Amino acid sequence: MIKLLTVVGARPQIIKAAALSRALKNKFPDRISEIILHTGQHYDQNMSQVFFDELGIPEPDFNLNTGSASHGVQTAAMIVGIEEKLLTLKPDFLVLYGDTNSTLAGAIAASKLKIPVVHIEAGLRSFNKTMPEEINRIVCDHVSTLLFSPTPTGVANLVKEGFATDTRPPFSADNPAVYHCGDIMYDNSLYFSRVAEERSSILEKHHLEPGKFILGTIHRDNNTDDPQRLNAIFRTLHRISSGETKVFVPLHPRASKMLDQNLDKKLYGEINANPNLVITKPVSFLDIIKLEKNAKMIITDSGGVQKEAYFFRKPCIILRPETEWVEIVENGTALIADADPEKILDAFEYFSHQDDLEFPPVFGDGKAAEFICEKIIHTFENK
Ligand code: UD1
Ligand code: UDP
């Protein structure tokens, strides 16, 4: 039996882990045993536990309870905690998702102990190193043994950085294997879409009519921590929601805290009095899927939510200067508006009158997790 250690820490990683855990349990229960280590990077009930409760992910075997801190303090604490577990548990390999500080810590701890790293969501690049995520994903990719990229663009990015796609076993950090596998989040969206229909009552709870509201999410550090950008975004959402359109924003705790600190007081008062701009705490995955499926349009700086907009065939306004998910922009279903009110309003106007957008398949067949498990078995069984 292969022994795998999965490290999760932030909301999107817990969600992604659901797809792999499901494939392991349903298809390969006798081949791979999974131990789950939660770094505790996210810890609020609605940023962590809700996903374990709702998505059928086994409870974490260990929680480092790292919590929030500066990049250095947080990442260092996680490296120490992960290293300790790697030494005692001696897994055959470590699975890491995406590009958070939990990913970076796992990559550094495992690679120094010569434990192979499997990176899911490899090869994505914003080409913007002011993003902490760009640093994290580059480091993780370059110490990984198996790299699973959701898109051909991701594979092409890796090739530009010197990775080869025709390497042969035995694989190692110096002879890594790169695979295009489709998007593990697409697996989840397909799987949970019907469940969300049955179980989520978020639309009724907030009196949202299908097709008549916009879903917004904001959490990127450059948007939340820069008062000018934060004010520009919320002023624009307020303006959009002053007409017929309702805007529903389940807000990341980072952004909520910064609203209290940095939002212009007059604007904050107006927003609080605006019944069409609804700001709530983060919602569960089934609720957000229900919201995404029924929204008229999505406005977001989230990586995951951009893709889910595409999965559910919704136009998306991206509150960032660039995106890793270039295919959705190339296909004309998403527009990059940054935190520029004019661009956001133009994009809103444009998408309000587009009823014939096309969403050709980009993110695989919904079976990325199974593909990943098969490659893992091939690499680590009988090693
Ligand atoms: C992290 C990831 C980001 C990812 C996001 C997903 C890094 C560098 N960034 O950003 O790539 O897109 O998670 O959501 O790893 N907080 C709470 N409760 C929580 C968690 C956070 O209140 O449960 C607040 C704290 O004030 C904390 C702040 O949010 O300081 C930021 O949290 P942190 O985990 O450092 O980064 P995120 O912005 O969540
Ligand atoms: N998400 C959620 N509840 C929310 C907001 C987002 O379950 O209130 C989900 C979303 O559907 C997606 C994931 O969280 O699957 C994305 O995480 P986030 O936006 O925090 O990070 P990113 O993807 O940008 O790293």
Side-chain angles (χ1 to χ4, degrees):
M1 186 89 130
I2 307 173
K3 190 175 182 186
L4 126 72
L5 182 67
T6 295
V7 170
V8 295
R11 167 168 72 185
Q13 295 167 328
I14 304 169
I15 295 169
K16 287 166 201 167
L20 198 76
S21 294
R22 197 168 57 247
L24 288 173
K25 186 170 139 227
N26 292 342
K27 303 262 170 175
F28 309 97
D30 306 326
R31 313 282 290 278
I32 306 177
S33 74
E34 183 185 31
I35 306 170
I36 300 180
L37 170 63
H38 193 323
T39 63
Q41 177 171 353
H42 286 174
Y43 43 85
D44 288 349
Q45 201 276 344
N46 54 20
M47 294 295 287
S48 174
Q49 189 59 42
V50 64
F51 304 110
F52 290 95
D53 295 344
E54 200 178 51
L55 305 183
I57 317 162
E59 282 297 315
D61 298 276
F62 305 98
N63 193 323
L64 301 177
N65 292 311
T66 309
S68 304
S70 67
H71 284 276
V73 170
Q74 185 184 57
T75 311
M78 294 195 280
I79 293 173
V80 173
I82 296 170
E83 184 182 66
E84 211 173 286
K85 291 297 172 208
L86 288 171
L87 287 169
T88 51
L89 297 167
K90 298 189 178 27
D92 293 308
F93 64 100
L94 184 74
V95 163
L96 297 170
Y97 295 96
D99 51 24
T100 71
N101 287 348
S102 299
T103 316
L104 176 65
I108 292 174
S111 58
K112 296 283 178 85
L113 292 175
K114 302 172 187 60
I115 294 174
V117 172
V118 172
H119 189 203
I120 299 179
E121 235 180 41
L124 299 173
R125 297 290 181 266
S126 63
F127 302 100
N128 173 1
K129 289 204 186 85
T130 65
M131 287 181 78
E133 293 84 358
E134 185 77 350
I135 316 249
N136 295 347
R137 51 171 88 108
I138 289 173
V139 173
C140 185
D141 280 344
H142 282 262
V143 297
S144 290
T145 290
L146 300 187
L147 295 92
F148 291 100
S149 180
T151 57
T153 307
V155 174
N157 289 337
L158 290 169
V159 169
K160 277 187 222 144
E161 290 175 19
F163 286 85
T165 52
D166 57 355
T167 52
R168 294 187 167 274
F171 298 124
S172 67
D174 287 316
N175 182 44
V178 172
Y179 300 104
H180 169 221
C181 64
D183 199 305
I184 199 158
M185 292 187 73
Y186 186 46
D187 297 17
N188 269 337
S189 292
L190 287 182
Y191 185 82
F192 288 110
S193 170
R194 197 170 37 82
V195 188
E197 281 309 320
E198 284 164 13
R199 289 209 220 140
S200 169
S201 51
I202 190 88
L203 301 185
E204 295 80 354
K205 184 172 169 198
H206 292 282
H207 311 291
L208 297 167
E209 278 185 61
K212 299 230 165 109
F213 68 93
I214 289 177
L215 173 67
T217 79
I218 294 112
H219 78 279
R220 284 286 149 215
D221 66 349
N222 67 331
N223 284 335
T224 59
D225 299 7
D226 177 338
Q228 212 178 332
R229 292 176 67 95
L230 188 74
N231 276 280
I233 289 170
F234 277 89
R235 203 177 292 286
T236 312
L237 293 180
H238 178 49
R239 183 149 164 212
I240 288 174
S241 58
S242 302
E244 298 258 291
T245 312
K246 206 160 180 167
V247 179
F248 185 80
V249 185
L251 203 56
H252 189 292
R254 173 184 206 122
S256 303
K257 286 174 191 167
M258 287 309 192
L259 276 193
D260 293 339
Q261 223 170 291
N262 287 334
L263 199 67
D264 176 82
K265 296 287 168 270
K266 181 165 171 283
L267 175 61
Y268 211 169
E270 285 172 14
I271 286 176
N272 281 333
N274 176 357
N276 274 350
L277 176 50
V278 181
I279 300 175
T280 70
K281 290 193 180 307
V283 296
S284 76
F285 189 63
L286 295 183
D287 282 346
I288 197 108
I289 285 201
K290 183 81 179 254
L291 289 162
E292 289 165 347
K293 286 179 76 177
N294 287 283
K296 172 189 166 76
M297 198 183 298
I298 294 178
I299 303 184
T300 189
D301 61 9
S302 157
V305 176
Q306 281 176 56
K307 277 184 293 171
E308 285 159 358
Y310 195 87
F311 302 159
F312 295 121
R313 310 176 72 80
K314 303 294 171 181
C316 181
I317 301 176
I318 302 171
L319 302 174
R320 287 183 42 193
E322 76 284 302
T323 180
E324 299 80 26
W325 307 105
V326 289
E327 297 81 358
I328 67 174
V329 176
E330 284 163 6
N331 287 340
T333 66
L335 284 168
I336 290 179
D338 204 0
D340 180 335
E342 212 170 303
K343 286 190 187 156
I344 301 170
L345 289 170
D346 283 353
F348 171 67
E349 269 309 305
Y350 173 76
F351 282 136
S352 295
H353 302 103
Q354 293 291 318
D355 296 324
D356 54 356
L357 295 173
E358 287 188 17
F359 298 76
V362 170
F363 294 103
D365 57 4
K367 293 189 176 147
E370 276 177 45
F371 177 92
I372 291 169
C373 291
E374 278 161 13
K375 295 296 174 197
I376 284 174
I377 289 171
H378 196 244
T379 305
F380 296 107
E381 217 167 50
N382 307 320
K383 207 182 162 210

